[in-house]
Amino acid sequence: MSRRIIIDLACLATFALMPLLAALLDEPFLVSLFTRLAIYGMAAASLDLLIGYGALVSFGHAAFFGLGGYVVGIIAFHSSQMLPLWGWEGSNSALVVWPLALLCCALLGLVMGYLSLRTSGVQFIMITLAFSQMLYFILGSLSLYGGDDGILMNERNSLPGLDLNNANQFYYLCVALLVAWLLFCRRLVGSRFGFVLRGLKQSERRTISLGLKPLRYRLTTFVIAGLGAGLAGVLWANYALFVSPDMGAWQKSGELMAMVILGGVGTLLGPVLGAAVYLGLEQLLSLWTEHWLLIFGPLLLLVVLFGRQGVYGLLMARRKPRKPASKPAPVATAQEVHP
Amino acid sequence: MLLLEQLLNGLQYSALLFLLASGLTLIFGIMGVINLAHGAFYMVGAFSAAYTAVATGSFWLGGLAALAGSAFYGLVIETGIIRRLYNRDHLDQVLATLAVVFFTNELITLLFGRSPPAMPTPDWYNAFVEVLPGLMYPVSRLLFIAVGLLVALGMWLLINHTRLGMLIRAGADDHEMVGALGVNISRLYTLVFVFGCVLCGLAGFMAAPLLSVEIGMGEKVLITTFVVIVVGGVGSVRGALVGALLIGMVDSLGRAYVPPLLDQLLPAEVSGTLSAGLLSASAYIVMALVLLVRPRGLLPARA
């Protein structure tokens, strides 16, 4: 068995057995922690699709997380308050609400991606950041939906055959969706589409000269990654029964980036491990002091400066160090012009 | 009369944005570092100013402390951390400077608490002058505008008419060549970085009596500063000036004219929410419009 399969199976087994372990240790809190982990892992893995495979360092990924959550929250608000939304009385069915939330995220991804992808490098970082801030402020100004305070929800969405209000059932749903999402992403990056994407990362010029249109591939990736984060947001709204503009704030985007780096860029499973490290450290350090960021900041700094491959890289060991994600090497471009 | 007052308010906000954006874009243009911690120096400046002014009772000592505090912290951060990021990709720079933000916010909270005491100001500072017959305007805001103009003028002189400015321009174009010509690149970088931090400290000092001084104040304005830089053109100080003026004016004129306009056009409950959202997102809307026409900003550093 290759090391990668062993890591995959170990992660899967940990996720699968966690409720059992929690019951044995009589720590129901563990299930809750791992639900959060699965949700953030999904958002981080979808960001890795952009950063690790598309070399698109998006600093606005939390916008999708926030929007996905808000669609769930807003519909729940209308259905519980009996206030029709444009004549529709709302619904509590996940089969209606969740696809609607994903649709909104896809639309946001199209607009935000199309405008942001007109630029690259540092401008792309700043523009994605600015778009997510735009959404953040708009969410915060919705006084009907609590403004900065957000929306409290009464219950989770209903899904036929499952009781989402049961912690274990909800947990397994999140894990199942995470696994499905990771498998889908792996297929995607291993497909012809994924090769074009990685080709664009290595050399845009070469890919264009093969007759491919970069914008289509990048925009599609941007939308798909947005859908992943949007689904994570939907699950978060259901998990926390609370949405607020902070879900889409720039700090959240920074957290997601930190998870990707901590876990290992361009590995998909790595960011899930990164999410585990991030949430675990947050949990541990904040038990110790409320100023946990005072310790976490320097730790993150050390990992960025010296730990080049993240947790996944360490587990895989002896992998090649990862290449710079966003700066195309000038030497390579010169070679392309004069082969 | 209202228009003129709003224009002055816009100039004041533009001056704040310019102080932050010019330093940030200089640092980015020369060293290629995307520095999220830039707002932290603004916060350090504001906290230093407020605490020193309260402790000594002197407004000007507060200002001195703001400049010294942000310069010192900038020196520490540059030599300790930023220096290692010059040759890294943007992702690493974003995360490392984000970590500095986390750390600085908590450090200031531990040292000074969440918000500092109100900064004492001299009487002349709180006075009003009649800028036009019938229009009284606070001295404090006029001072802010004046400082912004002076810094803009000073930057222009510095960059176009001094040896340091020549090195800065050359360093932005090709820092390896500048290094090969025998210039101590490492020292130049440190100098430019600390210079950017001093501008932040100045902004913090100016803002401390006027705006709310609190943890996270740097990040709030930093994001707008990024918008200014993107609108103006990354790496260009002239662009930072144009961007700051544009964003500052749109913000202030929007605040004055958008809500009444919407109130007339739409029912009250809709217009209130809509104008609040539009106003807080106005800078980002301007940015999206500019980028649709000119993806590299209004005055990019290099064509």
Side-chain angles (χ1 to χ4, degrees):
Chain A
M1 265 201 300
S2 81
R3 187 171 272 185
R4 180 174 141 168
I5 295 177
I6 297 175
I7 299 174
D8 283 2
L9 289 179
C11 288
L12 195 62
T14 315
F15 269 116
L17 296 177
M18 190 46 60
L20 203 66
L21 187 70
L24 281 176
L25 294 172
D26 196 25
E27 291 273 10
F29 160 76
L30 275 176
V31 177
S32 166
L33 180 67
F34 268 71
T35 311
R36 268 184 302 186
L37 206 169
I39 294 172
Y40 271 105
M42 183 186 280
S46 74
L47 179 60
D48 192 28
L49 215 51
L50 288 176
I51 295 181
Y53 297 91
L56 301 168
V57 182
S58 168
F59 203 163
H61 209 54
F64 299 99
F65 189 69
L67 184 67
Y70 252 82
V71 173
V72 173
I74 287 176
I75 295 178
F77 174 83
H78 280 281
S79 71
S80 70
Q81 303 280 315
M82 307 286 179
L83 272 174
L85 180 68
W86 297 309
W88 178 51
E89 71 274 15
S91 163
N92 194 36
S93 166
L95 293 178
V96 178
V97 178
W98 295 12
L100 207 61
L102 292 181
L103 187 70
C104 292
C105 288
L107 285 176
L108 176 69
L110 271 177
V111 175
M112 185 168 153
Y114 180 76
L115 288 173
S116 310
L117 286 168
R118 294 168 65 87
T119 61
S120 60
V122 70
Q123 268 148 316
F124 182 80
I125 300 180
M126 291 187 187
I127 287 157
T128 45
L129 173 64
F131 274 115
S132 73
Q133 282 301 100
M134 200 184 321
L135 184 89
Y136 167 79
F137 283 121
I138 289 172
L139 293 181
S141 70
L142 299 173
S143 47
L144 178 62
Y145 306 118
D148 285 331
D149 298 331
I151 309 169
L152 275 170
M153 290 163 55
N154 292 331
E155 52 179 349
R156 290 180 181 162
N157 293 133
S158 62
L159 202 61
L162 279 178
D163 174 17
L164 296 192
N165 288 306
N166 176 309
N168 281 352
Q169 293 195 21
F170 184 66
Y171 168 76
Y172 277 120
L173 176 72
C174 290
V175 171
L177 287 173
L178 172 67
V179 172
W181 178 248
L182 287 176
L183 289 176
F184 167 74
C185 288
R186 265 195 194 164
R187 282 299 294 272
L188 187 76
V189 298
S191 68
R192 180 183 170 279
F193 180 90
F195 278 96
V196 175
L197 200 60
R198 279 186 271 175
L200 276 171
K201 180 181 162 185
Q202 271 184 2
S203 163
E204 180 162 346
R205 196 185 296 244
R206 197 176 296 159
T207 319
I208 293 173
S209 63
L210 287 172
L212 299 160
K213 299 241 185 319
L215 182 67
R216 289 184 196 171
Y217 289 88
R218 291 194 170 132
L219 190 55
T220 311
T221 316
F222 198 86
V223 173
I224 292 175
L227 286 175
L231 183 58
V234 165
L235 292 175
W236 181 265
N238 275 282
Y239 163 77
L241 290 175
F242 171 63
V243 293
S244 75
D246 288 340
M247 282 177 76
W250 73 279
Q251 287 94 338
K252 197 62 81 183
S253 299
E255 276 178 34
L256 293 178
M257 279 173 124
M259 289 171 188
V260 173
I261 283 265
L262 283 174
V265 179
T267 56
L268 292 176
L269 184 60
V272 181
L273 297 173
V277 173
Y278 191 102
L279 295 175
L281 273 177
E282 177 179 3
Q283 200 73 46
L284 280 177
L285 292 176
S286 59
L287 278 180
W288 185 27
T289 162
E290 63 164 313
H291 300 291
W292 65 279
L293 282 170
L294 196 63
I295 303 154
F296 185 78
L299 272 179
L300 181 61
L301 198 60
L302 288 177
V303 173
V304 176
L305 288 179
F306 304 110
R308 303 289 288 133
Q309 303 159 58
V311 179
Y312 193 78
L314 284 180
L315 290 177
M316 293 291 280
R318 280 221 233 145
R319 273 164 51 100
K320 279 182 293 179
R322 86 188 151 81
K323 301 239 170 69
S326 58
K327 246 188 216 165
V331 184
T333 5
Q335 280 173 349
E336 283 147 30
V337 186
H338 311 287
Chain B
M1 215 40 79
L2 174 71
L3 177 68
L4 186 69
E5 192 173 351
Q6 293 309 327
L7 285 177
L8 284 174
N9 287 345
L11 269 181
Q12 186 239 316
Y13 186 40
S14 302
L16 170 67
L17 290 177
F18 176 70
L19 287 181
L20 296 174
S22 54
L24 188 60
T25 203
L26 212 53
I27 290 169
F28 179 76
I30 294 181
M31 315 185 230
V33 174
I34 170 166
N35 177 20
L36 288 187
H38 199 66
F41 303 106
Y42 168 64
M43 180 178 70
V44 167
F47 272 78
S48 310
Y51 267 93
T52 311
V54 168
T56 62
S58 163
F59 181 69
W60 294 113
L61 275 181
L64 211 59
L67 300 186
S70 55
F72 172 72
Y73 195 56
L75 189 66
V76 170
I77 296 292
E78 201 275 342
T79 45
I81 296 158
I82 304 284
R83 184 166 281 198
R84 295 164 211 278
L85 296 170
Y86 294 142
N87 295 321
R88 293 297 190 85
D89 59 72
H90 292 321
L91 182 63
D92 285 357
Q93 296 171 351
V94 165
L95 272 175
T97 51
L98 183 69
V100 175
V101 171
F102 285 162
F103 174 76
T104 310
N105 281 347
E106 289 303 319
L107 188 69
I108 298 275
T109 314
L110 265 183
L111 289 178
F112 298 111
R114 296 228 140 254
S115 50
M119 185 163 161
T121 48
D123 289 336
W124 60 264
Y125 184 86
N126 299 315
F128 283 75
V129 278
E130 197 165 20
V131 280
L132 272 183
L135 175 64
M136 303 297 279
Y137 203 73
V139 173
S140 52
R141 286 171 177 265
L142 286 175
L143 185 68
F144 213 131
I145 296 171
V147 167
L149 287 175
L150 280 179
V151 169
L153 189 69
M155 289 283 269
W156 179 74
L157 286 174
L158 172 80
I159 290 177
N160 291 308
H161 296 279
T162 63
R163 185 181 146 75
L164 179 64
M166 184 188 75
L167 289 178
I168 286 176
R169 278 178 290 147
D173 278 339
D174 189 342
H175 58 83
E176 276 174 24
M177 185 57 83
V178 175
L181 288 173
V183 175
N184 187 339
I185 277 286
S186 168
R187 210 164 58 198
L188 178 69
Y189 279 13
T190 309
L191 201 63
V192 172
F193 192 87
V194 172
F195 178 61
C197 294
V198 168
L199 288 179
C200 285
L202 184 61
F205 166 53
M206 302 302 301
L210 288 180
L211 309 171
S212 64
V213 177
E214 60 193 354
I215 299 297
M217 64 189 279
E219 287 89 84
K220 263 190 218 157
V221 70
L222 179 79
I223 313 275
T224 317
T225 307
F226 276 142
V227 173
V228 165
I229 289 178
V230 169
V231 166
V234 174
S236 126
V237 175
R238 273 188 315 155
L241 184 61
V242 171
L245 283 172
L246 184 63
I247 300 292
M249 288 301 171
V250 166
D251 179 86
S252 135
L253 295 182
R255 255 167 235 291
Y257 295 108
V258 168
L261 188 72
L262 285 180
D263 279 343
Q264 285 180 347
L265 296 175
L266 297 164
E269 65 270 28
V270 186
S271 76
T273 305
L274 189 63
S275 56
L278 273 180
L279 287 180
S280 37
S282 68
Y284 309 105
I285 296 170
V286 172
M287 187 196 70
L289 292 176
V290 168
L291 287 176
L292 273 175
V293 189
R294 295 179 70 108
R296 290 172 55 82
L298 293 172
L299 295 172
R302 283 168 290 257

